[in-house]
Amino acid sequence: MELVNVLESEKVHYNSLPDDFKDSFHCNRQRDVVPACVVHPLTPGDVSAAVKTISKHNCHFAIKSGGHAMFEGASNADGGITIDLKHLDTLELSVDGQTARVGPGQRWGRVYEFFEEKGKVVVGGRVSNVGVGGFLLGGGISFLGRKYGWASDNVRNYEVVLANGSISNVNYESHPDLYWALRGGAGNFGIVTAFDLEAYELGPVWGGNNIHVLSDPLARRTTLGIQRPFSFSLRYLIQSLCQLGIQVATLLGRSTTSTAMIEALEDMILNEKGDESYFQYFLAFSYFQTPGVVAANVLHVHSAQPAPSSKPLAMLDLQAIGKPAYSTSSVRSLRSMVQEFDPYNVPGFRFIFHEITLRFNATVFQQIFDLFLEEIEAVKDLPGMFPTIVMQPISEIVRVGNNKNGGNPFGFSDDDGPICVLSICPQWNRAEDDEAVKASVARLSEMTMVLLEKEGLLHRWVYPNYASEVQDVFAGYGEENRGKMKKIQRKYDPEGVFDRLQPGYFKV
């Protein structure tokens, strides 16, 4: 009850949760967690008071920005104290228009809307309801990554509540060691109450989603020995009709193959240095349960200058594989790209994100695609099941941005070459299916890593924002950088408040 005395009763909720608290989490796995207390600070001073009280009584806690993490306890403390930063929602633009102050309680949709009205943009998330805090502290892959680097590399200053309750402005000049650690260090060093971001001018972009019908999964399943027996069911009839539809689409030149898509992605990665007009792209394969088909989605974002008719190099090979079944590519605002991405990220389901970093090779990724097809069979009939794998290149241009203002702890080197982030990210409905889905992801991950290790293509790095709870994120930063981060943590948190008392998220 001391928190009530320290913070005032309207900021502290004991035993009964605020009405909108549960639904503010993206993933139902997080919604299942019930904290004993929720704190809603209104100021950095409130956060300071909460940290001092938590430290004094050795209470376990979690920090919530947008609540978009995908596993239990990541930003919600089971039986403990959840510090919900939603009211720390500052949005300000400096007088000179160069710096944007953004509170951790903001979500990216509102951030883009606010700064777009002022003719500015910041490097941020790609989904409207993703929170600012966790995204920026985990590095941040953005639509503007190839132009400006990681989102975290565009933070000029952090306003941070440290373990002793002090409030500090942390930047390259004031605290270069802590500034370095915060750029990818998650919540291990303090609670950020405001981010000062680089603000840029940005006109329209050319981009959108391009969905391609794949004609080869059925044949590939047959080659893999996967058989789906005949059934007198409506689903079997629908799936049979959909296969007939794919054959018609193929005759009309409106389908492609997984092989063509994968080879096109490889060409894009190899050609990326020759095209400075594009900002980001990725390739996703998803299984649609009712029709029983696998489709491919290519999302791309380019500068609208030069005009799209000039056919940017990075899109040439994808254009050569045939017209997509559905395309939204157009000249538009960056905010509209984020809004378009929202229907692919609907809250209120159960999710797993599991990340593997690799050096891309089309032949090997074709084998990974076949492993994905095999693993679909184990979970395809679970209610609401939506298996997906996503391949996102992390270009050399993005990694070079790591040197900005002292760099960050990710530990990339000039010898890494083009690398990619592979996300295994299924979605499903029921809690009773959790273990089956986790086992499926574990099998696919293990087989993929064994294959990549064998081919010499596995990279040690793990992207924090797409990692699952079973992954050791900071081991991927390299032994030297992890050791440096531990030393910095001991310096600013000698009592281990953020290590001992915050058990739910990744630990240095």
Side-chain angles (χ1 to χ4, degrees):
M1 295 297 290
E2 185 173 336
L3 279 171
V4 175
N5 297 327
V6 171
L7 289 175
E8 304 170 3
S9 59
E10 65 269 21
K11 301 174 186 176
V12 181
H13 303 266
Y14 270 112
N15 298 321
S16 61
L17 301 180
D19 292 339
D20 61 348
F21 177 74
K22 181 177 179 180
D23 289 344
S24 67
F25 290 93
H26 183 81
C27 177
N28 282 358
R29 295 172 63 194
Q30 284 251 74
R31 294 181 181 188
D32 292 344
V33 173
V34 181
C37 173
V38 176
V39 177
H40 280 146
L42 300 181
T43 66
D46 290 342
V47 176
S48 172
V51 169
K52 289 177 181 178
T53 304
I54 286 169
S55 176
K56 175 182 175 182
H57 295 282
N58 286 307
C59 304
H60 77 274
F61 71 101
I63 307 163
K64 174 181 176 289
S65 171
H68 208 269
M70 298 300 182
F71 55 87
E72 299 88 345
S75 54
N76 198 10
D78 189 16
I81 299 169
T82 296
I83 303 175
D84 187 346
L85 303 177
K86 73 173 188 175
H87 294 305
L88 297 179
D89 56 358
T90 299
L91 282 175
E92 298 174 357
L93 183 65
S94 63
V95 174
D96 64 5
Q98 301 301 306
T99 304
R101 170 154 281 213
V102 181
Q106 280 291 350
R107 297 175 187 250
W108 288 109
R110 174 59 184 143
V111 173
Y112 289 127
E113 179 183 18
F114 178 85
F115 290 110
E116 183 181 275
E117 293 171 353
K118 301 179 183 302
K120 295 289 185 175
V121 69
V122 295
V123 183
R126 297 172 295 180
V127 179
S128 293
N129 70 355
V130 168
V132 164
F135 176 85
L136 288 174
L137 291 171
I141 297 175
S142 84
F143 283 143
L144 299 176
R146 197 168 179 273
K147 187 173 180 67
Y148 298 119
W150 300 102
S152 58
D153 286 338
N154 290 274
V155 180
R156 288 181 166 177
N157 180 77
Y158 302 85
E159 181 184 78
V160 188
V161 175
L162 299 175
N164 63 3
S166 63
I167 302 170
S168 298
N169 281 292
V170 175
N171 52 63
Y172 185 50
E173 289 75 28
S174 68
H175 304 77
D177 54 351
L178 184 55
Y179 179 70
W180 174 85
L182 286 169
R183 301 170 84 174
N188 285 286
F189 301 92
I191 300 178
V192 178
T193 52
F195 298 87
D196 293 332
L197 309 178
E198 303 266 6
Y200 300 102
E201 294 184 5
L202 181 72
V205 299
W206 176 51
N209 283 290
N210 294 272
I211 298 177
H212 295 260
V213 173
L214 298 182
S215 61
D216 63 332
L218 180 60
R220 301 197 75 85
R221 283 201 300 262
T222 301
T223 301
L224 294 167
I226 300 170
Q227 299 294 328
R228 294 184 176 178
F230 175 82
S231 170
F232 289 102
S233 66
L234 178 60
R235 174 175 290 185
Y236 188 88
L237 174 61
I238 292 172
Q239 293 183 355
S240 298
L241 291 174
C242 287
Q243 288 299 326
L244 180 61
I246 290 173
Q247 294 177 31
V248 173
T250 301
L251 291 173
L252 296 175
R254 299 304 293 263
S255 73
T256 186
T257 66
S258 62
T259 302
M261 298 298 297
I262 291 167
E263 290 177 349
L265 179 64
E266 183 174 60
D267 287 339
M268 290 170 74
I269 293 169
L270 294 176
N271 287 328
E272 69 171 23
K273 287 185 179 180
D275 180 9
E276 296 184 359
S277 71
Y278 80 87
F279 300 153
Q280 200 203 27
Y281 61 89
F282 66 71
L283 170 64
F285 291 112
S286 299
Y287 176 75
F288 292 82
Q289 189 176 58
T290 299
V293 301
V294 178
N297 180 26
V298 176
L299 180 141
H300 70 100
V301 184
H302 285 69
S303 168
Q305 300 294 330
S309 60
S310 64
K311 294 183 179 179
L313 178 62
M315 290 299 293
L316 280 177
D317 298 299
L318 282 177
Q319 290 174 344
I321 66 175
K323 294 181 179 179
Y326 173 76
S327 176
T328 64
S329 295
S330 62
V331 177
R332 62 211 300 184
S333 70
L334 185 71
R335 182 162 69 98
S336 78
M337 280 294 308
V338 174
Q339 291 170 332
E340 182 176 319
F341 216 40
D342 291 344
Y344 298 90
N345 294 270
V346 177
F349 295 92
R350 309 184 79 78
F351 302 91
I352 290 176
F353 272 23
H354 189 95
E355 192 273 337
I356 300 170
T357 307
L358 59 120
R359 297 174 176 88
F360 193 82
N361 175 278
T363 302
V364 173
F365 189 60
Q366 184 71 68
Q367 296 177 62
I368 295 172
F369 177 78
D370 288 345
L371 294 174
F372 174 60
L373 291 180
E374 291 179 319
E375 205 50 57
I376 286 172
E377 298 303 301
V379 294
K380 62 182 175 61
D381 295 323
L382 300 179
M385 192 65 204
F386 187 56
T388 298
I389 56 174
V390 184
M391 183 65 71
Q392 303 184 66
I394 304 297
S395 72
E396 183 178 342
I397 292 175
V398 173
R399 299 197 309 278
V400 166
N402 294 344
N403 297 322
K404 189 176 181 180
N405 290 335
N408 63 45
F410 288 153
F412 292 118
S413 73
D414 294 337
D415 299 328
D416 285 323
I419 62 172
C420 292
V421 165
L422 171 63
S423 302
I424 304 170
C425 41
Q427 166 188 311
W428 70 103
N429 285 353
R430 305 185 309 185
E432 53 263 43
D433 296 324
D434 285 4
E435 295 309 313
V437 180
K438 289 179 182 179
S440 174
V441 170
R443 288 191 299 268
L444 179 55
S445 171
E446 178 64 24
M447 290 186 293
T448 298
M449 292 180 70
V450 168
L451 173 61
L452 292 170
E453 187 75 54
K454 176 184 175 183
E455 299 294 334
L457 299 173
L458 183 65
H459 194 282
R460 58 171 170 72
W461 187 67
V462 177
Y463 177 47
N465 292 350
Y466 290 167
S468 72
E469 65 269 34
V470 302
Q471 296 185 269
D472 186 356
V473 165
F474 295 106
Y477 288 20
E479 184 177 345
E480 180 179 349
N481 279 359
R482 189 174 204 174
K484 183 177 176 182
M485 294 177 82
K486 288 181 177 180
K487 183 178 179 180
I488 294 168
Q489 188 180 51
R490 288 192 296 270
K491 175 181 175 181
Y492 291 96
D493 183 8
E495 301 300 321
V497 172
F498 289 96
D499 182 42
R500 293 184 299 108
L501 303 180
Q502 187 188 200
Y505 208 57
F506 305 115
K507 301 288 102 182
V508 172

